[in-house]
């Protein structure tokens, strides 16, 4: 106290009582902060800076008065205002000129906003010399001896009414101070700046350990993790792109080094961008910006080089994968650049592993993986699918076909469908669909044979396999190397593409869709390829199935043991098991007739079955059993025709009888024979069965062709016009009979 009192001498003549009053204020027993030691630090620092002021006396008086009034829990602004009022009241008593009193009060009020970052070196040349000196002296406590500074901060914290709130406010103040210049004058920056910055950083680290910070720093962690894992993802996608072609068919001079170079760049960018995201240096920002510029340049080049598709050239999977890899690398560089720009000098004092940062580092790789699986992969496949497809043909109303009366004339002849014929045609609600080589599906008008639409793909050279589904509303087409596509039967537009995990399965039945695979599983799949259910009877099994509108009947045979074969019924919607029965031998050639499943009981070594059995699919009950005549010797064919089961075979084992065909119609409701006709037609001819029960086959007759018609009314032959190829199978769609020309589909009248 004596030492502090000695500093007042000669400052203001005849003011010993004022000095004693001021010293008493700083040492009073109720004051817990800004005591005499604090004032001593300020005055000591002022002695080294006072030569920079223009009014040393006013600056010294302001330093003595700036904390003369202090209320516990008060703010610096409140203390400064009250202290300025005190100076304005006391100084006139000691003959201090009013001009100086005003300057002292002004300077005192400046100390109420110490946390505001001071102006930088580019501030206007007109400076407040007195204010700069005083504020630097007041902030000299920041550069005090570490132990003295720790005591000062402890006193200020204890003095606050809301300790936690004061700590949070002080945390923000310290960060603001460290982000700017701590001192206004160059002399203070040189003498006090380094020590003050160490003290502040130590205080900030201490505050950080005391304040609860479960989420602090999650933004920086998320950006850093994004830069790291997105760059890794870019390398993975680039590697995947290197195994794909840029166009289909692949050009002989197609090079693969761009994708390899991108993969290498992305791989080595991962640690570099990680370091850039954790640094606020200009160099880090420059490196991140360079990677960003490379990504943008690569995107522009890749987009300019995308091949133009036509009937012969398609876009390969490398195009979307390469663009996706460049976008991922761009996102990684952008995240690193943003993290570097947002990072401050105090960022390294953030909690190292708090909850927010840990969750950010956990969530980002999960999000990146989901982006790869749920966004990039389907979008890339979708881009290739849409870029390589074309639909031709104007919308037109679909015509309805007239039943073929088979009078020897032709109803219509289609335009050229080179490479296909009637045997591969399928019927839909909107016409007759036929597949063609080169990845083409055509829809013909059922009434005229005119082309309604043509769907083609540039990335497929083979003929697709097609089936009708959705009650004839859709065409399901399997393209090699593409998978299953669902086409609208009315417009030819693609409605869906099966997911990648279902593309290699084979269709066992399309109404409703059932698929199987060699692993011994049966899948119920919706028209868009989404899996409804999976039936897996166990290892070493082979599964076949057929379905009615409500029930799937599966035929399970065991290949590795002596277990008996099984019949299992499943609900078609849910896949729930309804019942299971053992069978002596695997049933063959199942067919659905009038809601029943009719199967052929094995007949030993003979192709002809021992009997035909009708099974009620929901219960497993045997509705009826029709014994197959033992004299029948050919491979029995079963076809559904309305409520009748049409059975085609040959009537006997003799050479003469085996050249005939016997057609039997069985009433599916009763299991009784409705009619039977024997015709002098070779049973080796391929037959088509119409919806009204007529069995039609083709036989050559000289230069022409005969249509063999076997029905309830008997047998008849009709000579057909020239141009029909007898060696190709006929096809019945409803009651319309189709045949094939050399490169056309022909409908018989």
């Amino acid at each position: 106290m004596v030492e502090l009192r000695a500093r007042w001498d000669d400052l203001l003549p005849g003011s010993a009582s004022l000095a004693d009053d001021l010293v008493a204020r700083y040492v009073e027993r109720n004051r817990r902060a800004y005591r005499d030691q604090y004032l001593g630090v300020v005055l000591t620092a002022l002695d080294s800076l006072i030569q920079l002021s223009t009014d040393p006396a006013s600056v010294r008086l302001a330093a003595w008065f700036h904390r003369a009034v202090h209320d516990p829990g008060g703010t610096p602004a409140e203390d400064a205002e009250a202290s300025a009022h005190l100076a304005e009241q006391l100084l006139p008593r000691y003959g201090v000129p009013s001009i100086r009193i005003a300057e002292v009060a002004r300077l005192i009020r400046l100390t109420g906003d110490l946390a505001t970052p001071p102006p930088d070196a580019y501030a206007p040349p007109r400076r407040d010399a007195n204010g700069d000196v005083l504020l630097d002296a007041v902030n000299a406590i920041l550069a005090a001896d570490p132990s003295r500074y720790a005591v000062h901060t402890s006193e200020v914290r204890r003095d606050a009414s809301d300790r936690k709130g004061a700590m949070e406010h002080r945390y923000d103040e310290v960060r603001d101070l460290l982000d700017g210049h701590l001192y206004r004058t160059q002399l203070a920056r040189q003498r006090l700046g380094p020590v003050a910055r160490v003290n502040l950083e130590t205080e900030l680290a201490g505050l950080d350990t005391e304040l609860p910070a479960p989420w602090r720093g999650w933004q920086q962690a998320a950006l850093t993790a994004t830069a790291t894992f997105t760059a890794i993802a870019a390398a993975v996608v680039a590697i995947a792109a290197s195994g794909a072609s840029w166009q289909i068919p692949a050009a002989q001079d197609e090079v693969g080094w761009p994708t390899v170079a991108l993969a290498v760049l992305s791989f080595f960018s991962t640690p570099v961008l990680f370091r850039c995201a954790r640094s606020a240096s200009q160099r880090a920002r420059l490196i991140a910006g360079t990677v960003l510029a490379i990504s943008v340049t690569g995107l522009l080049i890749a987009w300019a080089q995308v091949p133009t598709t036509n009937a012969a050239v398609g876009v390969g999977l490398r195009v979307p994968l390469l663009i996706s890899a460049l976008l991922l690398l761009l996102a990684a560089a952008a995240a690193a650049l943003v993290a570097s720009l947002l990072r401050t000098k105090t960022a390294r004092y953030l909690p190292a592993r708090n909850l927010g940062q840990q969750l950010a580092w956990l969530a980002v790789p999960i999000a990146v993986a989901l982006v790869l699986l749920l966004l990039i992969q389907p979008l890339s496949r979708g881009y290739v699918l849409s870029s390589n497809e074309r639909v031709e043909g104007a919308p037109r109303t679909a015509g309805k076909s007239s039943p073929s009366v088979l009078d020897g004339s032709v109803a219509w002849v289609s335009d050229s469908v080179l490479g296909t014929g009637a045997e591969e045609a399928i019927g839909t609600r909107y016409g007759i669909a036929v597949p063609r080589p080169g990845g083409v599906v055509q829809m013909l008008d059922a009434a005229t044979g005119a082309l309604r639409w043509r769907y083609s793909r540039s990335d497929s050279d083979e003929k697709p396999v097609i089936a009708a589904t959705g009650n004839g509303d859709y065409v399901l087409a399997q393209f090699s190397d593409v998978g299953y596509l669902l086409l609208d039967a009315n417009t030819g537009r693609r409605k869906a593409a099966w997911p990648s995990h279902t593309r290699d399965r084979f269709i066992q039945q399309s109404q409703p869709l059932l698929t199987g695979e060699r692993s011994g599983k049966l899948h119920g799949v919706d028209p868009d390829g989404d899996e409804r259910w999976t039936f897996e009877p166990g290892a070493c099994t082979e599964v076949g199935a057929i379905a009615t509108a409500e029930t799937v009947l599966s035929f399970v045979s065991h290949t590795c043991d002596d277990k008996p074969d099984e019949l299992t019924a499943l609900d078609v919607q849910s896949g729930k098991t309804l019942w299971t029965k053992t069978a002596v031998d695997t049933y063959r050639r199942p067919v659905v007739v009038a809601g029943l499943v009719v199967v052929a009981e094995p007949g030993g070594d003979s192709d002809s079955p021992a009997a035909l059995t009708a099974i009620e699919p929901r219960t497993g009950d045997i509705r009826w059993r029709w014994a197959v005549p033992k004299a029948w010797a050919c491979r029995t064919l079963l076809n559904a025709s309305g409520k009748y089961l049409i059975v085609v075979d040959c009537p006997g084992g003799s050479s003469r009888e085996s050249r005939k065909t016997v057609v039997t119609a069985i009433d599916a409701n009763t299991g009784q024979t409705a009619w039977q006709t024997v015709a002098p037609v070779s049973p080796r001819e391929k037959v088509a069965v119409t919806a009204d029960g007529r069995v039609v086959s083709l036989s050559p007759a000289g230069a022409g062709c005969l249509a063999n018609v076997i029905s309830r009314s008997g047998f008849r032959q009709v000579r057909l016009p020239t141009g029909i190829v007898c060696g190709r199978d006929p096809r019945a769609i409803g009651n319309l009979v189709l045949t094939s020309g050399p490169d056309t589909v022909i409908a018989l009248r």
Side-chain angles (χ1 to χ4, degrees):
M1 179 177 177
V2 175
E3 180 182 357
L4 184 62
R5 176 65 180 78
R7 290 178 178 275
W8 181 268
D9 294 342
D10 300 328
L11 178 59
L12 191 62
S15 59
S17 60
L18 176 60
D20 293 339
D21 180 40
L22 291 175
V23 171
R25 288 176 177 273
Y26 282 100
V27 298
E28 64 182 358
R29 298 178 63 88
N30 293 333
R31 181 179 286 227
R32 289 176 292 186
Y34 304 107
R35 296 176 58 81
D36 53 338
Q37 294 92 340
Y38 164 77
L39 182 59
V41 172
V42 173
L43 296 178
T44 299
L46 188 61
D47 290 339
S48 63
L49 301 173
I50 196 66
Q51 70 270 21
L52 302 178
S53 66
T54 58
D55 188 355
S58 297
V59 175
R60 290 184 183 276
L61 287 173
W64 274 89
F65 272 94
H66 83 283
R67 281 294 187 273
V69 179
H70 173 68
D71 292 327
T75 65
E78 293 171 345
D79 289 350
E81 185 63 31
S83 299
H85 279 298
L86 179 66
E88 291 171 337
Q89 292 175 0
L90 297 181
L91 289 179
R93 303 176 187 177
Y94 298 94
V96 179
S98 58
I99 295 179
R100 174 159 292 172
I101 293 174
E103 176 65 5
V104 171
R106 183 187 73 84
L107 293 174
I108 293 173
R109 289 186 173 94
L110 290 179
T111 63
D113 194 15
L114 292 175
T116 302
D120 56 27
Y122 298 99
R126 187 171 183 177
R127 305 296 295 271
D128 181 3
N130 294 334
D132 289 349
V133 170
L134 176 62
L135 294 178
D136 282 355
V138 172
N139 274 333
I141 189 64
L142 303 177
D145 179 83
S147 60
R148 173 66 253 169
Y149 181 72
V151 171
H152 168 72
T153 57
S154 177
E155 291 174 346
V156 173
R157 197 176 304 166
R158 186 173 64 249
D159 186 61
S161 57
D162 180 8
R163 190 171 187 274
K164 180 180 177 182
M167 291 175 61
E168 293 175 348
H169 180 69
R170 181 58 180 169
Y171 185 92
D172 295 333
E173 279 188 342
V174 173
R175 287 179 63 98
D176 290 340
L177 286 170
L178 285 171
D179 283 342
H181 296 300
L182 298 177
Y183 297 99
R184 275 102 174 141
T185 64
Q186 187 64 32
L187 182 60
R189 291 178 186 176
Q190 293 175 352
R191 294 181 178 180
L192 305 176
V195 178
R197 191 166 294 278
V198 172
N199 284 337
L200 286 172
E201 290 176 345
T202 303
E203 181 187 5
L204 185 65
L207 288 170
D208 194 67
T209 60
E210 295 184 51
L211 289 174
W215 301 104
R216 191 181 307 150
W218 72 267
Q219 301 94 332
Q220 289 283 348
L223 288 170
T224 304
T226 299
T228 303
F229 291 105
T230 308
I232 294 174
V236 172
V237 176
I239 292 173
S242 64
S245 60
W246 185 255
Q247 68 179 41
I248 297 175
Q252 294 183 353
D253 57 346
E254 186 172 299
V255 294
W257 67 263
T259 54
V260 176
L262 179 59
V264 172
L265 174 64
S266 302
F267 179 78
F268 285 103
S269 295
T270 300
V272 174
L273 293 177
F274 172 79
R275 293 178 64 100
C276 290
R278 294 171 60 86
S279 173
S281 66
Q282 191 67 26
R283 180 181 178 184
R285 297 168 186 172
L286 180 61
I287 294 174
T290 301
V291 177
L292 184 67
I294 292 174
S295 303
V296 173
T297 303
L299 277 172
L300 295 176
I301 295 175
W303 189 258
Q305 296 296 321
V306 173
T308 302
T309 61
N310 53 51
V313 177
V315 173
L317 188 58
R318 181 182 294 183
V319 173
L321 288 179
L322 182 62
I323 292 177
S324 298
L326 288 168
L327 287 174
L328 288 170
L329 186 60
L330 185 150
L337 182 60
V338 172
S340 180
L341 291 172
L342 294 180
R343 185 170 291 275
T344 65
K345 297 178 181 179
T346 60
R348 62 183 181 274
Y349 294 104
L350 291 172
R353 291 181 179 86
N354 65 3
L355 180 60
Q357 296 181 45
Q358 290 175 347
L359 288 179
W361 276 95
L362 179 64
V364 168
I366 295 176
V368 172
L370 290 176
V371 167
L372 291 178
L373 295 176
L374 303 180
L375 192 63
I376 291 180
Q377 183 179 14
L379 285 180
S380 297
R381 184 169 183 242
Y383 173 80
V384 172
L385 286 173
S386 59
S387 297
N388 291 324
E389 67 183 358
R390 289 174 302 282
V391 179
E392 307 168 43
R396 52 191 298 181
T397 303
K400 294 184 178 180
S401 63
S402 299
S404 297
V405 297
L406 300 175
D407 59 1
S409 61
V410 171
W412 50 259
V413 179
S414 71
D415 293 334
S416 176
V417 287
L418 188 65
T420 191
E423 65 272 14
E424 296 173 290
I426 61 170
T428 71
R429 291 180 57 187
Y430 301 98
I432 300 168
V434 293
R436 289 183 55 192
V440 177
V441 178
Q442 292 188 183
M443 181 64 70
L444 306 179
D445 189 281
T448 64
L451 178 68
R452 296 195 67 243
W453 53 259
R454 178 187 291 109
Y455 178 90
S456 59
R457 300 202 58 83
S458 302
D459 52 0
S460 179
D461 293 330
E462 298 181 8
K463 183 188 300 183
V465 178
I466 63 174
T469 188
N471 294 321
D473 286 331
Y474 304 107
V475 175
L476 186 67
Q478 182 186 16
F479 292 85
S480 59
D481 301 327
V482 176
Y484 290 100
L485 304 182
L486 189 71
L487 308 180
D488 189 302
N490 187 30
T491 64
R493 301 291 177 182
R494 175 169 52 86
K495 305 297 291 184
W498 281 25
S500 58
H501 67 277
T502 59
R503 61 187 296 179
D504 295 328
R505 296 176 182 167
F506 59 89
I507 300 175
Q508 289 194 338
Q509 184 177 338
S510 59
Q511 296 281 10
L513 281 179
L514 293 174
T515 62
E517 58 185 4
R518 296 179 181 175
S519 59
K521 298 179 183 178
L522 186 71
H523 302 273
V525 181
D526 288 325
D528 59 4
D530 291 336
E531 191 171 283
R532 293 195 303 265
W533 48 262
T534 300
F535 172 64
E536 186 174 4
C540 297
T541 57
E542 293 181 355
V543 184
I546 193 168
T548 65
E550 298 179 347
T551 310
V552 178
L553 194 60
S554 66
F555 308 91
V556 181
S557 61
H558 297 271
T559 59
C560 298
D561 48 44
D562 295 331
K563 290 183 180 180
D565 296 339
E566 297 174 351
L567 286 178
T568 300
L570 311 170
D571 184 81
V572 77
Q573 294 297 329
S574 64
K576 178 182 178 181
T577 300
L578 302 177
W579 54 265
T580 299
K581 293 183 177 180
T582 59
V584 177
D585 198 355
T586 304
Y587 290 124
R588 295 180 293 180
R589 299 193 283 279
V591 62
V592 175
V593 185
L596 300 176
V597 176
V598 179
V599 296
E601 294 183 11
D605 296 333
S606 173
D607 286 336
S608 295
L612 304 179
T613 303
I615 302 173
E616 173 59 53
R618 297 299 290 184
T619 63
D621 296 336
I622 303 299
R623 177 74 68 86
W624 49 260
R625 184 175 183 273
W626 192 85
V628 176
K630 295 182 179 180
W632 287 9
C634 298
R635 187 176 186 273
T636 306
L637 301 178
L638 305 180
N639 291 272
S641 179
K643 71 172 185 176
Y644 295 110
L645 173 68
I646 304 299
V647 184
V648 181
D649 209 319
C650 56
S654 67
S655 59
R656 178 174 296 181
E657 290 179 331
S658 64
R659 291 196 295 269
K660 297 180 181 180
T661 297
V662 57
V663 176
T664 305
I666 301 173
D667 190 322
N669 295 320
T670 63
Q672 300 298 316
T673 300
W675 55 266
Q676 188 176 79
T677 302
V678 178
V681 177
S682 172
R684 297 177 180 82
E685 302 289 356
K686 299 294 185 179
V687 300
V689 180
T690 63
D692 57 8
R694 291 175 294 169
V695 177
V696 181
S697 63
L698 301 181
S699 299
C705 188
L706 294 176
N708 305 306
V709 185
I710 308 172
S711 64
R712 187 185 193 117
S713 59
F715 165 72
R716 63 189 179 95
Q717 286 185 319
V718 179
R719 180 170 292 277
L720 300 178
T722 58
I724 295 176
V725 179
C726 294
R728 303 182 71 170
D729 303 338
R731 180 79 166 177
I733 296 178
N735 285 319
L736 180 66
V737 178
L738 302 178
T739 57
S740 303
D743 60 353
T744 58
V745 173
I746 302 172
L748 300 181
R749 189 179 301 279

